[in-house]
Amino acid sequence: MVYCRPDSLLHEIWMVMKKRHLQNVPILDRESWPIGVLNARDALEALVSEPEYEERMLVTHC
């Protein structure tokens, strides 16, 4: 089962979601209780708004 924690790095979670074609990933707290869901659209929107992500994408695709 794929899940993430509130302190997980968004870029790493996004790569797993992309590789496995996942639209949603549960967010679990330290005791493994569900506290939310990370949606692929929300994750991508947050990543694209980060200047570092845009710069990384330009470097890897050029």
Side-chain angles (χ1 to χ4, degrees):
M1 179 175 173
V2 176
Y3 64 89
C4 63
R5 304 280 184 186
D7 60 347
S8 298
L9 296 177
L10 186 56
H11 176 72
E12 291 176 6
I13 299 166
W14 171 249
M15 296 306 288
V16 172
M17 292 176 79
K18 191 170 117 175
K19 180 179 178 181
R20 293 187 170 198
H21 306 285
L22 300 173
Q23 293 298 311
N24 298 293
V25 172
I27 304 169
L28 306 180
D29 68 9
R30 290 183 184 190
E31 289 79 32
S32 296
W33 286 94
I35 58 173
V37 175
L38 177 62
N39 179 274
R41 183 179 298 166
D42 295 337
L44 184 57
E45 187 176 305
L47 285 170
V48 169
S49 69
E50 293 180 6
E52 304 88 35
Y53 181 76
E54 184 176 342
E55 186 174 315
R56 269 194 306 249
M57 292 302 291
L58 289 172
V59 169
T60 59
H61 291 297
C62 292

